[in-house]
Structure formats: structure tokens, C-alpha cells
Amino acid sequence: MRSRIDFKVTGRFALFTDPLTKIGGEKCSYHIPTYEALKGIAKSIYWKPTFVWVIDKVRVMRRIRTQSKSMKPLVFHGIYPSEKDPAKKQEPFNTLAIYTYLADVEYQVQAHFEWNPYRNDLADDRDPDKHWHVAKRMVEKGGRQDVFLGTRECQGYVEPCAFGEGKGEYDGCGELAYGLMFHGFDYPDETGTRELHSRFWRPVMKDGVVLFPEPKEFLQQSSDKAREFVREMIPNPPSSNGLREEGLLDELD
């Protein structure tokens, strides 16, 4: 399929959490990456509003280990500006928390892109060969943007691979079932609605490989998949289609 890419991502630390519950306080990472985190990595490699990345599967290559760190996150609410004296400028203060990260991670990821059916204004940009070749080159370059493993303090690194090659720590280890976990968000620019939904599922890792269901499978809720309304959201996607944008070439003259 000329829309599919394989890539390896590594990092010293990773923090994959449910964004709906990480407003503050202690944080503890899932043992496996979420669909939304891997989709964000794919978008850091290469992305255009013409298409949507779909994550097919991930393979855990190294043994799952955790490491806790003492953190001093900033507290912003109620501090800036001062409630007693609104005219007085006060700096936010720090609080103390323990974050539990995954340590020394390596994953193999397989993903493919599909055209965004709600961006008919970019129909002229639906050239699979062009986007596939650009995506492959960007994997070899390590991505167009910085890669993060769950959060910004966890830097990741991307390089090409063939999914399934090499020896993984969980080869032949059978199945490991997880409980209810965050899968991803349904954003308005990808669903054609003015609503933000979150998706949850019950993943099973078999021999180190986790197969992800596609977001459209969550429209029909079942015992192992759930889709919940978060809030109303007005889509505001980028509208440019590059050099084909009217008047843009004139500005380059």
C-alpha cells in the first residue's frame, strides 16, 4: 500500500497518560503508548490537512521499565494576577509531584494515511505518490518537527525500519490484557461536527504487538470500546493548499 510507512521511535523517557485526568498532581504512564501519542509522532514526521494518519499497530521492542522523578510543576490558577490586588503582578509558584515515566523505550510503528473527507477544498492535493514519498523521506530525516513521547519533556527519535524485523523482548510471551485505556480524540476537523469526543478501549498486547482499532470503529459502542462527549469545539483547520493557493505564487515574484 503506497500510503503506509514503518518507523522506529526511541527515547530515554516516555509518559503516556489519559489527557482527561492529567490536569494536575501525580502522573503515572501507561505501559504502552496510546493511539493519540503515536498519531502525534506520525504528524511530527509529516502532515498535511489533506489527510489523516491512522495508526495500524505498535510493537514494544524493549522491556517495559518505569522510573519515578520528583517534579516541580507550576501552579497558575488563582495566582496571576493576585486575587487580593488585581493590579499587582504575582509570579506563579511551584508545587511538588512525583511523575512515573517509562524508561529506555523503543517501538516499531506501522501507520498509513487516509484522505480527510471533510477537506474537499484540498481535493487537488490528493496525490498519494507525492505524500507517500515525502513521508518516507521525512522518516529517513527523523521527522519535520520535534518528536515527543507523550509529553514535551520526553524527547523521541525516529528512524526507518521494517515492522517486525529484529528481536523484541516480548516475542513469544503470549497475551497481556490491559484495562480500560485512553485511545484518542475525535477532533471536529476530522469528523465534520462541532464536538470533541474522547475514545476508550481495552487493548491486548500479543507477543509484544498491539493492534489498534480505527477511530470509525468507535461510532458503534461495544463492551470493549467507548466514545464520550467532551465539549463543543469549533473547527479551525488551516486552509492553505501550498503553492496552489490563489495569489501565493504572485507574492513569490
Side-chain angles (χ1 to χ4, degrees), residues 132-168:
W132 183 70
H133 282 101
V134 173
K136 297 273 286 185
R137 288 200 303 272
M138 291 304 103
V139 171
E140 295 173 355
K141 298 293 184 182
R144 277 187 167 181
Q145 300 176 348
D146 290 342
V147 174
F148 303 112
L149 300 177
T151 59
R152 191 170 182 82
E153 69 262 29
C154 299
Q155 181 76 47
Y157 305 93
V158 167
E159 57 185 281
C161 77
F163 192 93
E165 72 174 0
K167 185 179 183 307

Side-chain angles (χ1 to χ4, degrees), residues 240-253:
S240 173
N241 57 355
L243 294 179
R244 295 178 182 177
E245 183 177 353
E246 184 178 0
L248 184 59
L249 289 176
D250 297 336
E251 296 180 5
L252 299 177
D253 292 337

